[in-house]
Every structure is written in structure tokens, then in C-alpha cells.
Amino acid sequence: MNAIDLLKKQHREVEQLFSRFEEAGEEAEKTRERLCQQIGDALAVHAEIEERIFYPESKQENTEELLRESVEEHLAVKRLLADIMQADLDDPQFDAKMKVVKELVEHHVQEEEEELFPLIADSCSTDELEDMGSRMQDLAQELEEEGQPRASIPGQTDSPAQI
Ligand SMILES: [Fe+2]
């Protein structure tokens, strides 16, 4: 699969998870907990394939600034997710934390889709994008098979990923 299509597909999936979290009633504690875990896993996998493959390989003169901003945004999201992962679902701040992480992700997704991806689509061939995409898909599958990709988030909150 084309790398950009894969990332956009993951963006849609995480947006859906956030909507389902918001729609789940406060009393549906188990559902809310499961959705939070799914959001953590989805964002951990997504950040990992971007930081390990997509960002380093798409670094060029006209993308470096955007990429540096992107890894800072990932860092902010990871810090908040690490905080959420150890918070109680019935903490009165819990939903506010989820809302802030959702807004950060929305902003990040919009910047990637409107600014970063078009630059990369212009400078990479279809073959390059396909090759990158299949390696990203393999890494995503590997992380999912290892189980609980979100578990790596608290260990990644000190500094942004190197690109
Ligand atoms: Fe990202």
C-alpha cells in the first residue's frame, strides 16, 4: 500500500475511535476503557511507523521544518497519553485530557494531510511510496502482534524522535 494512503487510513481509524469514545456514555466504563486503550495502541503504532520510516525517509530541504514540528507534536501527544494511561477513568479531568489529546491529533493530522503529504507525494515516485508503505505496514503488523503497542509510550516522553 502507498505510504500516504496507509497513514491517511490510520488517521480515519483514530478519528473514529475518538468519536466512539465521546459517544460512549459515562456509565459505559468498560467501553470507555477499551476505547482509550485502542486509541493509545493506534497512536503508538502510527507514531512509530512515521518516526522510524516515513519521517527519516521524507526528510529533505522543503520538509525538514514541518517534520521537526511533527515530532514535537508527537511528543506532546505521547506525554498526554502517558498521563491518561495512569489516570482514573472517573477522574473529573479525564474527559478533558481526552479532548485535548483529540484536538492535538486533529491539528497534527490536518497539517500532515494538507502540508506535508503533498510535498512528499511530489518528490517521491509511486514505487518509492509503495515500497515505503509496505515496510510501514510490516512494522505496524509486527508491533500489533507483539501486543499492547501503547506500553512503549511512557518511555518516549523525554525528547522528540530523531529525524
Ligand atoms: Fe504523525
Side-chain angles (χ1 to χ4, degrees):
M1 183 188 263
N2 175 305
I4 293 174
D5 292 341
L6 171 63
L7 294 173
K8 284 187 179 169
K9 180 171 158 266
Q10 292 186 337
H11 288 165
R12 302 293 85 81
E13 284 165 1
V14 84
E15 280 165 3
Q16 264 208 332
L17 290 172
F18 274 117
S19 306
R20 282 167 56 196
F21 176 82
E22 285 182 344
E23 285 157 14
E26 297 232 340
E27 65 288 351
E29 188 142 340
K30 276 270 159 276
T31 307
R32 280 157 49 82
E33 187 180 6
R34 187 173 39 83
L35 286 166
C36 280
Q37 291 170 347
Q38 288 177 324
I39 288 169
D41 284 339
L43 288 172
V45 168
H46 184 68
E48 201 87 14
I49 67 173
E50 284 191 330
E51 291 172 1
R52 276 165 56 178
I53 300 173
F54 190 73
Y55 289 173
E57 293 185 25
S58 47
K59 190 170 145 196
Q60 52 202 29
E61 219 175 297
N62 66 346
T63 57
E64 183 169 349
E65 197 183 332
L66 278 171
L67 291 173
R68 296 210 175 277
E69 193 180 328
S70 285
V71 291
E72 279 305 322
E73 288 170 351
H74 277 193
L75 180 63
V77 169
K78 287 178 194 171
R79 285 177 172 163
L80 204 49
L81 284 173
D83 181 29
I84 288 168
M85 280 162 63
Q86 45 126 35
D88 272 338
L89 270 168
D90 51 13
D91 181 329
Q93 282 300 115
F94 197 89
D95 285 6
K97 290 178 193 293
M98 287 297 288
K99 184 130 191 255
V100 174
V101 88
K102 178 179 175 238
E103 285 169 356
L104 283 174
V105 169
E106 279 170 353
H107 164 83
H108 178 75
V109 160
Q110 194 185 0
E111 239 168 29
E112 284 195 339
E113 294 193 7
E114 288 177 9
E115 298 179 46
L116 181 65
F117 293 172
L119 291 174
I120 294 166
D122 272 351
S123 62
C124 290
S125 68
T126 312
D127 280 353
E128 284 168 329
L129 288 172
E130 287 287 334
D131 170 67
M132 214 189 323
S134 63
R135 283 180 291 121
M136 286 157 66
Q137 227 169 358
D138 288 348
L139 176 58
Q141 200 183 339
E142 208 178 289
L143 295 167
E144 278 153 14
E145 281 169 6
E146 279 169 15
Q148 304 201 352
R150 65 184 182 281
S152 65
I153 292 174
Q156 299 178 9
T157 54
D158 281 346
S159 53
Q162 299 284 317
I163 51 154

